[in-house]
Amino acid sequence: APRWFYQGGGDEGGIAYSHASSRAIERAYLNRLESVSVLTATNRYNVFPLEGYQENAVSGTRRKIIRATWFTLTPASPPQPLGEDESLILENQLLSEPWHPDTSIVTFHDRRVVVSGVSGGFVMLQPSEGGGHTTVSLVRGYAAFSWGLPG
């Protein structure tokens, strides 16, 4: 199942909603509902999954949200959602034809490449300035990591 995230401040990247909130947002998204209300330990938010944002029910502050099915894993940071467009490209590739670990490849418009990892799974190669590349592990599906509740 996809996991929902909201945009954190600064370098935080995407912050996961609680599992219960994420499920409620996904139900609203699948049922094409305009909004769903979610409660955290400190605030209530009106989430607009079709429009791509959440709004604090008291202050009116808005943040972008994202529906993620693919996640990047790096040693230096918690799992981050891959963009919805990139996730859709990967899902379409996997569903349209069998993935062959030795030969299958997906290339994004910005020259990032997804291939099979040496020890299994998927990796994304990101071009580095000055040549070479950075390798980032990818996880497909529900990210059952402990991120805590949104604040």
Side-chain angles (χ1 to χ4, degrees), residues 19-50:
H19 295 292
S21 292
S22 193
R23 285 191 301 272
I25 296 166
E26 181 66 9
R27 279 193 302 274
Y29 176 81
L30 293 175
N31 289 313
R32 313 288 300 161
L33 299 177
E34 180 180 339
S35 68
V36 62
S37 181
V38 298
L39 183 63
T40 69
T42 58
N43 292 303
R44 177 175 298 280
Y45 295 93
N46 296 315
V47 180
F48 299 83
L50 302 177

Side-chain angles (χ1 to χ4, degrees), residues 3-4 10 23 33 43 45 61-62 64 67 72 77 92 97-98 100 111 124 132 141 144 151:
R3 185 78 190 260
W4 287 84
R23 285 191 301 272
L33 299 177
N43 292 303
Y45 295 93
T61 302
R62 291 183 176 187
K64 292 181 181 179
R67 180 178 186 254
T72 60
S77 65
N92 286 338
E97 54 189 76
H100 299 286
R111 297 185 7 224
M124 182 169 52

Side-chain angles (χ1 to χ4, degrees), residues 39-108:
L39 183 63
T40 69
T42 58
N43 292 303
R44 177 175 298 280
Y45 295 93
N46 296 315
V47 180
F48 299 83
L50 302 177
E51 299 294 324
Y53 70 93
Q54 74 172 19
E55 184 175 81
N56 184 300
V58 175
S59 70
T61 302
R62 291 183 176 187
R63 290 185 175 171
K64 292 181 181 179
I65 63 171
I66 187 171
R67 180 178 186 254
T69 53
W70 286 81
F71 305 87
T72 60
L73 301 175
T74 61
S77 65
Q80 289 295 307
L82 192 62
E84 196 165 352
D85 291 340
E86 290 93 347
S87 294
L88 184 60
I89 290 168
L90 289 171
E91 285 298 305
N92 286 338
Q93 177 68 32
L94 289 175
L95 296 175
S96 66
E97 54 189 76
W99 184 267
H100 299 286
D102 294 333
T103 59
S104 292
I105 185 171
V106 173
T107 304
F108 296 125

Side-chain angles (χ1 to χ4, degrees), residues 115-135:
V115 295
S116 293
V118 174
S119 58
F122 301 93
V123 295
M124 182 169 52
L125 307 175
Q126 300 177 338
S128 299
E129 290 185 25
H133 64 272
T134 303
T135 302

